[in-house]
Amino acid sequence: MADPSSYRPKPGQIPDSPGVYKFCDEHRRVIYVGKAKNLRQRLANYFQDLSGLHPRTRTMVTTAASVEWTVVSTEVEALQLEYSWIKEYDPRFNVKYRDDKSYPYLAVTLNEEFPRVQVMRGAKRKGVRYFGPYGHAWAIRETVDLMLRVFPVRTCSAGVFKNAERSGRPCLLGYIGKCSAPCVGRVTPDEHRELAEDFCDFMAGRTGTYIRRLEKEMTQAAEDMEYERAARLRDDAGALKRAMEKSAVVLADATDADLIAVAEDELEAAVQIFHVRGGRVRGQRGWVTDKVEAVDTAGLVEHALQQLYGEETGDSVPKEVLVPALPEDPDAVAQWLAGRRGSQVSLRIPQRGDKKDLMGTVQRNAQQALGLHKTKRASDLTTRSRALEEIAEALGLETAPLRVECFDISHLQGEDVVASMVVFEDGLARKSEYRRFQIKGFEGQDDVRSMHEVIGRRFKRYLQDKERTGEWEETPAVSGPAPAPVSGPVPAPGEPVPAPAVDSPEEPREDDGRPKRFAYPPQLVVVDGGQPQVAAAKRALDELGIDDIAVCGLAKRLEEVWLPGDDDPVVLPRSSEGLYLLQRIRDEAHRFAITYQRAKRAKRIRSSPLDAVAGLGDTRKHALIKHFGSVKKLRQATIDEICEVPGIGRRTAESVAAAFATAAPAAPAVNTATGEIIEEDDGGSTT
């Protein structure tokens, strides 16, 4: 625990201008980002008597080891820079909203020559028009199915579209009138794009124009005694009305607005957002967050606005944003929103009428979401805390291991040897810090030696980062260069220290406060294995001079926990939450390692002796495989038989035969579950 006075800047050093500040811990990792109208006044609040600080703020300032700031011109710039830094550094003491689900959107790909209507999830793409989010993907498909009667826009994938284009025959939707079939030229690109834009206009709320037009055309067709066309137009208008009925009218004045409500307690907060377009609720989403910083409702609203609109532009930012409490500086936030939209945005609290009633509905949804989240997580929080305490007690640790790293080795009969490193913090997986390794020091199967290499590489990089950031404590002056972390035995005094080796290119190289770093050490290292693997891991740490990180191993056979130097394992009860957490960590490391190993093996198997034939491209490779049916049959073919393949001359056939003659026959693939040999498929790879 650091003393804030040890890194407190002198009062004259801090400017009284607007700006953004960040607190960093001893490993140079950014742990908190904030903004201020006056940096001097705001930072002074953090360096008062610790007893007067909020408990969360006190924890943050005692965890930090330094503070930095950047001066900006306006409060709007401060808001923008704060959002950028929070997104870049992912500080642990800032509020971070988690979506309680992955929401589907109705998307129209206006960036393509022939726009496509489809369901999309995940990050938004440039040039794509989005509507939603929706609660369920089937709701989008029902809406699209109704609207394709009137707006027959393409919905097929690129592959289906190209196949139809080559064959000259449209898909089923083209035959039943639910696609204008641009793939076969029934409409021009401009006509199809006009249909897509009409579809977007209708979804954006401009519905009355199209329904009135259909009704007028229906009446005219009936007067002209074109009764079949009139019936079809009547059905089209009915389909549009049914699509509109799926989203009820909540505001009579065709308002475009987002309504944000917050439900909170001392530990957590839930945020609910209703997206209203054209007076109808077009989408709904929710977030849940831990209150890791001392923040009130206004602060939660400001963070929600940053996350909701930080990547949005244009009409994705509505004209009106209704909130339960205004941020600390509402004018600056409204100006920032206006900059994202390109026109004025109203940010206010609804006081009366339909908008206030609808805000009450959003608030009830937020309260229900918080209650549901707490019901799901209450037992989980208690269980994780108890598990970490049991592990600390069983291993004789002074404190609970809040960060645990687990390593596993994976290979197939000594080939494609790889290793994995998974990270759990507070009992939860932190997948952004997972790492994978290729074993480079030797070839063959040796799990103990592999574990020694991986642990050495991981913590050698940790020491190198400490040295680069100035945290490495140099020994008193001796001959030769200053000590540096190396793998292998520590040199005796007076001996030159070898330069540290450059580690794998898969590992990060910079140290600028970002969270995905090797430089952040664990309290506990878990290895998948028994006494030999634990001894190898401990020996690697000893060779690097690291003695403040605990090591244990979990053997699969009896789920025994092994400690370095102990002849007998630690046996945790089968009902122990600590054992269950160690098993989950070990199984996650095994899954991550075997996934990487299988990917490397599949890549190696996909290689073929044909790759070594000069001048033989993919087209002629496919022609050879197609002609003979498999690589196995091609390997057995004569030069004359190979010459029968169209496009293969005598010289090329001789090169192919020579390549197979010099290449060692591939070992047969074996199903490890049944023991049967798996034959090669037509592409020459095992399945």
Side-chain angles (χ1 to χ4, degrees):
M1 180 179 293
D3 182 1
S5 62
S6 63
Y7 63 89
R8 178 177 183 172
K10 295 180 180 179
Q13 293 179 338
I14 308 176
D16 55 3
S17 307
V20 182
Y21 56 91
K22 54 185 178 183
F23 283 85
C24 304
D25 64 9
E26 58 180 352
H27 305 289
R28 299 295 303 150
R29 190 169 75 163
V30 177
I31 62 172
Y32 184 74
V33 172
K35 62 174 176 55
K37 294 181 181 179
N38 187 311
L39 284 170
R40 183 178 300 174
Q41 292 180 3
R42 177 61 58 84
L43 289 177
N45 294 333
Y46 292 100
F47 296 102
Q48 56 180 286
D49 184 11
L50 291 178
S51 61
L53 294 176
H54 190 281
R56 297 188 184 95
T57 305
R58 183 164 60 246
T59 302
M60 188 273 292
V61 296
T62 54
T63 304
S66 63
V67 61
E68 304 170 4
W69 58 84
T70 298
V71 176
V72 296
S73 302
T74 64
E75 296 162 23
V76 176
E77 289 184 17
L79 189 69
Q80 293 171 334
L81 183 58
E82 180 192 32
Y83 170 74
S84 300
W85 278 3
I86 291 176
K87 183 179 178 182
E88 179 180 3
Y89 296 116
D90 190 24
R92 58 180 291 197
F93 285 101
N94 278 93
V95 166
K96 295 182 286 290
Y97 289 108
R98 307 182 300 271
D99 272 344
D100 54 9
K101 65 178 74 173
S102 176
Y103 291 93
Y105 285 82
L106 171 58
V108 184
T109 58
L110 296 175
N111 56 348
E112 298 181 2
E113 181 183 8
F114 296 100
R116 176 190 176 193
V117 175
Q118 60 182 314
V119 177
M120 276 192 180
R121 296 178 185 265
K124 293 186 176 181
R125 306 174 188 174
K126 187 176 181 180
V128 180
R129 185 81 180 273
Y130 291 89
F131 302 95
Y134 287 76
H136 303 280
W138 55 260
I140 301 177
R141 296 187 179 98
E142 283 188 357
T143 300
V144 171
D145 186 64
L146 290 170
M147 294 184 60
L148 289 180
R149 290 181 56 94
V150 185
F151 308 106
V153 186
R154 167 198 163 206
T155 57
C156 61
S157 65
V160 173
F161 186 88
K162 290 179 181 178
N163 288 337
E165 199 172 29
R166 282 195 298 266
S167 65
R169 296 191 304 272
C171 62
L172 177 61
L173 292 179
Y175 281 111
I176 65 176
K178 288 193 173 182
C179 179
S180 56
C183 53
V184 295
R186 287 187 185 173
V187 295
T188 65
D190 291 339
E191 291 172 338
H192 185 267
R193 180 167 292 275
E194 185 177 352
L195 280 173
E197 291 174 350
D198 289 345
F199 181 98
C200 293
D201 287 343
F202 187 89
M203 289 300 302
R206 293 180 280 276
T207 58
T209 303
Y210 297 100
I211 293 179
R212 286 193 297 270
R213 187 184 69 187
L214 288 176
E215 291 175 344
K216 183 178 180 180
E217 292 178 358
M218 177 185 68
T219 303
Q220 184 62 43
E223 292 177 356
D224 296 340
M225 293 184 291
E226 297 178 2
Y227 299 117
E228 291 184 1
R229 181 169 180 268
R232 187 169 64 253
L233 292 170
R234 177 202 60 200
D235 294 341
D236 290 349
L240 291 184
K241 290 178 180 178
R242 288 195 300 276
M244 292 171 57
E245 290 168 357
K246 289 184 175 293
S247 54
V249 176
V250 293
L251 298 175
D253 57 352
T255 300
D256 290 346
D258 284 349
L259 291 88
I260 301 174
V262 178
E264 58 183 308
D265 59 17
E266 287 297 321
L267 299 176
E268 296 173 308
V271 176
Q272 283 286 311
I273 303 102
F274 276 24
H275 303 277
V276 179
R277 299 294 183 269
R280 300 172 181 270
V281 178
R282 297 290 185 179
Q284 176 186 357
R285 67 192 303 184
W287 295 328
V288 181
T289 184
D290 295 325
K291 296 174 70 173
V292 292
E293 62 173 299
V295 61
D296 56 7
T297 303
L300 291 170
V301 168
E302 182 172 321
H303 288 307
L305 293 172
Q306 287 180 317
Q307 179 154 331
L308 189 60
Y309 303 115
E311 304 294 331
E312 304 292 347
T313 56
D315 291 340
S316 298
V317 182
K319 299 177 181 177
E320 193 172 4
V321 179
L322 305 178
V323 295
L326 291 175
E328 179 182 357
D329 191 347
D331 293 337
V333 176
Q335 188 177 347
W336 174 70
L337 291 173
R340 307 297 303 176
R341 175 180 171 81
S343 61
Q344 186 174 0
V345 175
S346 173
L347 177 66
R348 63 187 185 87
I349 303 173
Q351 300 294 334
R352 63 182 69 85
D354 294 339
K355 294 178 181 178
K356 184 177 181 180
D357 294 341
L358 182 57
M359 178 63 81
T361 301
V362 184
Q363 182 67 37
R364 287 191 295 273
N365 276 265
Q367 292 170 347
Q368 292 174 1
L370 181 62
L372 180 61
H373 172 76
K374 292 185 73 65
T375 300
K376 289 181 178 179
R377 193 178 173 189
S379 61
D380 187 39
L381 281 169
T382 305
T383 300
R384 294 204 319 269
S385 300
R386 186 166 63 250
L388 292 172
E389 291 172 0
E390 289 179 0
I391 292 173
E393 182 179 356
L395 303 185
L397 305 179
E398 295 181 359
T399 59
L402 298 182
R403 179 182 172 102
V404 180
E405 294 181 3
C406 184
F407 296 81
D408 185 29
I409 309 297
S410 181
H411 58 83
L412 181 64
Q413 299 176 351
E415 294 186 346
D416 300 320
V417 185
V418 300
S420 68
M421 181 188 98
V422 302
V423 179
F424 274 61
E425 289 189 351
D426 296 332
L428 295 176
R430 191 173 178 86
K431 294 189 176 182
S432 62
E433 298 200 24
Y434 284 16
R435 294 293 182 270
R436 55 192 191 186
F437 304 80
Q438 298 183 47
I439 302 304
K440 302 177 179 180
F442 64 98
E443 294 183 359
Q445 176 181 350
D446 189 338
D447 288 357
V448 174
R449 191 175 175 185
S450 299
M451 186 64 71
H452 179 273
E453 177 183 332
V454 170
I455 297 292
R457 285 168 56 187
R458 185 265 181 266
F459 288 98
K460 179 174 65 178
R461 186 56 189 265
Y462 158 59
L463 294 180
Q464 289 172 350
D465 284 343
K466 285 186 66 175
E467 181 185 27
R468 185 165 57 248
T469 57
E471 297 175 24
W472 181 262
E473 296 181 4
E474 298 185 356
T475 57
V478 294
S479 61
V486 295
S487 61
V490 178
E495 293 182 1
V497 180
V502 178
D503 209 345
S504 166
E506 298 169 351
E507 301 169 6
R509 297 177 176 275
E510 300 297 332
D511 184 9
D512 53 6
R514 292 177 175 81
K516 300 179 181 180
R517 311 305 303 159
F518 273 103
Y520 196 60
Q523 285 82 46
L524 175 63
V525 168
V526 180
V527 299
D528 182 12
Q531 198 172 25
Q533 286 82 359
V534 174
K538 180 61 175 175
R539 187 170 66 254
L541 292 176
D542 291 342
E543 291 170 355
L544 295 172
I546 298 175
D547 58 2
D548 57 350
I549 296 177
V551 180
C552 74
L554 186 62
K556 291 187 178 72
R557 187 170 64 89
L558 297 175
E559 302 292 16
E560 301 165 328
V561 179
W562 289 89
L563 296 177
D566 289 357
D567 295 331
D568 298 316
V570 177
V571 180
L572 294 174
R574 289 292 177 178
S575 59
S576 167
E577 292 295 340
L579 177 61
Y580 177 69
L581 177 57
L582 288 175
Q583 288 172 330
R584 283 202 303 121
I585 296 172
R586 188 268 318 279
D587 293 344
E588 177 67 356
H590 181 68
R591 179 200 65 79
F592 192 53
I594 202 168
T595 300
Y596 182 38
Q597 190 273 331
R598 286 172 176 170
K600 284 182 62 64
R601 176 173 174 266
K603 183 178 180 180
R604 176 174 56 83
I605 289 177
R606 283 196 296 269
S607 63
S608 165
L610 295 176
D611 298 336
V613 179
L616 190 65
D618 291 337
T619 301
R620 291 200 290 175
K621 287 180 188 177
H622 292 316
L624 286 167
I625 299 298
K626 184 177 181 181
H627 180 83
F628 290 99
S630 70
V631 171
K632 182 178 180 180
K633 293 179 180 178
L634 174 58
R635 182 182 287 112
Q636 298 169 351
T638 64
I639 294 177
D640 292 335
E641 290 173 340
I642 296 175
C643 288
E644 295 175 3
V645 180
I648 303 297
R650 184 79 183 181
R651 181 175 297 179
T652 303
E654 292 174 351
S655 300
V656 171
F660 279 111
T662 57
V670 179
N671 187 324
T672 56
T674 63
E676 60 184 346
I677 295 178
I678 306 172
E679 293 293 335
E680 294 177 334
D681 64 12
D682 291 348
S685 62
T686 58
T687 58

